[in-house]
Amino acid sequence: MKKNLSACTTVLVGKNASIDGSTMAARNDDTFGPLNPMRLVVYPAYRNHPNQVKAYLNHCVVDRPADGYSYQGTPNVDYKNQGIFDESGFNSQNVGMSATESVYANERVLSFDPLNTESGINEDLIVATTLPFINSAKEGVSYLGGLIKKYGSAEGNGVIFSDKNDIWYMEIVTGHHWVAQRIPDDAYAVTGNRVAIQQVDFSDPDNFMWSEGIQEFVEQHHLNPDKHGWNFRHIFGTANFFDQHYNTPRQWYGHKILNPTVEMDPLGFDLPFIMRSDRKLTLEDVEQVLSSHYQGTPYDPLGKGTDEEKHLFRPISLNRTQNSHVLQVRNDLPEAASTIMWMCFGVPTFTPYVPFFGQAQDMDKSYRETPMELNMDLKSAYWMYRALSMIVESHHAEFAQQDLDYLKDCREYLYRWVNTVAPQVAGKDNSEVSAFLSAESHKMVAELAKRTKDLMAKLIMHGLELSKLTFIMDKNL
């Protein structure tokens, strides 16, 4: 099995930890290379139509029920070679799913329950086999757990499920074993490619779920290294040099942003997964984590540290971040407009998070249709935002402030847009809601495209003035 998507960062915020009472489930989807074109689509609901989905990266074939809800997805354009990888979205029941955060188990546990790489469920089709059939976040864990029991897992994956009340984080670590934890309402969580879940309380099924027989599996094969407790990360995870330079620093910096008064070690193997902040967390806070690259530290690749320091740790935002998303459920808005996927198709450091309502069935063409290569008409949102990212980084010192001003203005416009549009769905039936939200989204996308292209034109003209192919004759000669 070929797996190209192997590096992501996750941020989760419970409803009582957020400033507006919303749940937020967020992740950067990072690919193997910098260019992996994606689309944003809505798959239609279907009835009385049993069917199968087949993976493109291994031989997995999953039978799907006859009835399925509509749902959002962000598939790869080159799906035959890269796999489908729907990644994230809401279904019509207002349940969100983001998949996956790649995680890696140690060789001890895998020797007793190896991954089913040939025909197990993988990231290629994990959303398509789960999201259309669930009615709550907790049900998502149960449903996917049943699929893992039947088909096995081809890889280690962290999967997020969210709704208006709950966020569940599920870690599938071996061929058949997994644990899921509910994020407490007053807490947040950060992780990046390591097994994250720590102490598991098997007496608390309201906050923990697990694969059948996992306790017996661990005891039978003598897998628990701790004298006391049942620490999922210690039993199933890794703790090596690679983790300290690729994974743990991202978790450290996420906590540094969301909980700046707490001192932590970026090389620490036991950094907490779940924490409480001393303030209410905002959408901007979550976006700040996902768009970060160790700003304010010597480890910033765009900063002033030594060359060794700037390349010591893998940053959160990368040129190979193909999409960054925040699945937000706003409990202060009408339910029909309460689910919003904030989608960033460029490098998150430089480009905005654009809101798409979960109940809007007609996706804008600029997101729905993405060519494999850049066309200079910039009609594709994916390529437009990738191009902006390249322009800003090419003269970062000169362009950074203009880009920051643009992002601030975009956020102000988009927040106002959501708060103006969402209340207007009250009293509308389902078909009217979808048509209204879709029409308003088209207008919003067009406005963002105009703002983005205007900025790009200004930056290009400024860049022409910065060319090193110039010469000024000394007037005194």
Side-chain angles (χ1 to χ4, degrees), residues 10-140:
T10 290
V11 183
L12 312 171
V13 180
K15 61 183 180 181
N16 293 338
S18 67
I19 195 170
D20 57 4
S22 65
T23 60
M24 289 183 280
R27 184 171 62 88
N28 278 2
D29 173 23
D30 304 330
T31 62
F32 183 75
L35 297 178
N36 193 80
M38 292 181 169
R39 306 185 299 134
L40 178 55
V41 301
V42 179
Y43 296 99
Y46 61 88
R47 296 289 181 266
N48 302 314
H49 181 60
N51 61 92
Q52 294 179 326
V53 288
K54 301 179 181 180
Y56 283 88
L57 300 188
N58 69 358
H59 302 295
C60 185
V61 180
V62 176
D63 296 314
R64 298 205 304 179
D67 297 337
Y69 300 125
S70 64
Y71 66 101
Q72 298 167 319
T74 54
N76 290 327
V77 174
D78 185 19
Y79 62 90
K80 291 184 179 180
N81 292 309
Q82 301 291 339
I84 296 174
F85 290 87
D86 281 317
E87 294 301 312
S88 61
F90 286 102
N91 68 16
S92 59
Q93 302 305 106
N94 287 345
V95 181
M97 180 178 181
S98 179
T100 70
E101 176 80 36
S102 298
V103 296
Y104 303 94
N106 62 64
E107 57 271 29
R108 295 188 311 278
V109 297
L110 289 172
S111 69
F112 294 108
D113 184 26
L115 297 167
N116 180 12
T117 57
E118 289 299 314
S119 59
I121 289 179
N122 60 17
E123 188 175 350
D124 184 7
L125 47 62
I126 199 168
V127 172
T129 56
T130 307
L131 187 55
F133 314 109
I134 58 177
N135 297 280
S136 70
K138 188 172 185 180
E139 185 181 334

Side-chain angles (χ1 to χ4, degrees), residues 136-143 161 163 166 168 205-207 209:
S136 70
K138 188 172 185 180
E139 185 181 334
V141 177
S142 298
Y143 191 93
F161 295 101
D163 57 34
D166 299 333
W168 282 85
D206 291 333
N207 292 294
M209 299 171 70

Side-chain angles (χ1 to χ4, degrees), residues 16 26 50 61 73 100 107 113 116 177 204 233 236 256 263 290 311 346 352 379 407 418-419 422 428:
N16 293 338
V61 180
T100 70
E107 57 271 29
D113 184 26
N116 180 12
H177 286 302
D204 185 7
R233 185 190 296 173
F236 286 90
K256 184 176 177 64
E263 293 292 331
L290 296 183
H311 296 91
K379 292 181 180 179
L407 292 175
V418 168
N419 291 324
K428 291 180 167 59

